[in-house]
Amino acid sequence: MRASTAVTIGVGATAAVVVAALVQAAGDDPVVGAALSLSVPAQYRTLVEEAGNTCSEISPNLLAALLTQESNFGPDRTSPAGAQGIAQFMPSTWETHGIDGNGDGKRDVWDPEDAIPSSAKYLCDIAKDVKNVPGDKQSNILAAYNAGPYAVIKAGGVPPIKETENYVRSITALAKQPSGGKTTTTDQAAIAINAASEMIGTPYSWGGGNASGPSTGICCSPRGRSGASITGFDCSGLTLYAYAKAGIALPRTAAQQYAASEPVKPGQMRPGDLVFYGKSAASIHHVGIYIGGGYMLNAPRPDTKVRIDPLDMMRDLYAVARPVPSQNKEI
């Protein structure tokens, strides 16, 4: 973790640039880059999330959609044409593009720990082969996975092959499906981050903040500080407001917001996740919005303003969790 020093910046364009830079830095790290919202069998979810960020031309959702189309996540499938495994590699293609994804010294097309990373790497290799072909880049990549790069290059785009056209259409539609409301999408997280970053410089107010924006607070904090005469946000007021802008209603307090969110492992954090502090779920006392690079948007305490802080600004980091859209009302 970084030293516990607040990032002091002005309101407006400068703040937006700093937040954008941190989020971009997070996007460069496969752990916190594009996120997976499609349904994937639990045993393959981490593999798809990690492999789906192999290069910028693909995403976990695209990889999940492709594997669904190819085998419906069946690791023992063989097609009538002889394609094998969960990613349906032809033997000659596997010989050239298969990798030892799990580091056990073998390249096994029947092992999802090898085949899923190999599929992602092959998509990235194909992306280079067809990068100069006109038309939609993702469609060209998918068409090349199905019919081969040469067919796409020769046709100047998706070749007029019915199977390939249907293949591209099906995977594209599946990859664009929303999460179904299980947890926030990356678009919703981006809206929340932008909304909170626009509030940098707003005063801290105990009990302040609601879905409409800054508001006067109440009396009194554990140390006797009143927010009744201050228009601003406390920590959970800021997160409530930010996610309201994304169409997600969070409860009012930090502990309630944790209960309304789905915990994520530290290695699966992504910008927009909520960072909670306390010794237990029942004693959570603080929350911030993770923006990447080890930092969060934060309304720290009385006599401060909304700002960017490192995650280790408090010693009792308890959990990271992702809001779950619901019909919760502000309380």
Side-chain angles (χ1 to χ4, degrees), residues 6 12 67 84-85 92 102 128 168 224 230-231 248 254 294-295 297 318:
L67 294 169
Q84 299 174 331
S92 60
N102 59 9
K128 297 176 184 177
V168 172
I230 303 173
T231 299
I248 297 172
Y295 287 92
L297 283 159
Y318 176 72

Side-chain angles (χ1 to χ4, degrees), residues 150-166:
Y150 177 74
V152 174
I153 294 169
K154 182 179 179 181
V158 178
I161 303 170
K162 189 171 183 179
E163 177 193 334
T164 302
E165 291 173 337
N166 289 336

Side-chain angles (χ1 to χ4, degrees), residues 184 266 277 290:
T184 55
Y277 296 82
Y290 181 62

Side-chain angles (χ1 to χ4, degrees), residues 30-263:
V31 169
V32 292
L36 175 64
S37 62
L38 287 181
S39 177
V40 170
Q43 65 267 39
Y44 304 131
R45 190 171 183 87
T46 298
L47 278 170
V48 172
E49 286 178 332
E50 293 178 353
N53 283 293
T54 299
C55 65
S56 61
E57 289 80 9
I58 66 171
S59 69
N61 267 6
L62 181 66
L63 181 59
L66 182 144
L67 294 169
T68 300
Q69 176 74 15
E70 290 286 357
S71 70
N72 198 25
F73 289 95
D76 300 324
R77 300 286 173 85
T78 301
S79 77
Q84 299 174 331
I86 197 169
Q88 291 291 278
F89 276 98
M90 293 297 291
S92 60
T93 306
W94 177 259
E95 186 63 29
T96 303
H97 295 280
I99 64 173
D100 177 12
N102 59 9
D104 66 356
K106 301 176 183 178
R107 297 188 304 130
D108 186 354
V109 72
W110 305 107
D111 185 347
E113 292 185 359
D114 289 344
I116 291 176
S118 294
S119 179
K121 182 180 180 299
Y122 184 40
L123 285 169
C124 293
D125 290 343
I126 286 173
K128 297 176 184 177
D129 293 336
V130 300
K131 67 179 180 179
N132 295 323
V133 176
D136 182 74
K137 293 186 181 299
Q138 179 175 289
S139 295
N140 290 340
I141 294 169
L142 292 173
Y145 194 97
N146 178 258
Y150 177 74
V152 174
I153 294 169
K154 182 179 179 181
V158 178
I161 303 170
K162 189 171 183 179
E163 177 193 334
T164 302
E165 291 173 337
N166 289 336
Y167 181 88
V168 172
R169 190 179 301 114
S170 297
I171 293 178
T172 299
L174 183 60
K176 290 181 178 179
Q177 284 187 6
S179 65
K182 185 179 180 183
T183 58
T184 55
T185 66
T186 51
D187 286 344
Q188 289 170 317
I191 292 170
I193 289 172
N194 288 337
S197 67
E198 290 174 357
M199 293 297 114
I200 289 176
T202 303
Y204 181 97
S205 175
W206 177 261
N210 55 43
S212 299
S215 69
T216 54
I218 60 174
C219 184
C220 284
S221 74
R223 296 188 178 183
R225 304 300 298 275
S226 174
S229 62
I230 303 173
T231 299
F233 293 101
D234 64 9
C235 64
S236 55
L238 177 65
T239 53
L240 185 155
Y241 164 74
Y243 268 100
K245 287 293 187 180
I248 297 172
L250 291 177
R252 184 57 183 83
T253 69
Q256 291 168 340
Q257 289 177 6
Y258 176 70
S261 301
E262 181 177 294

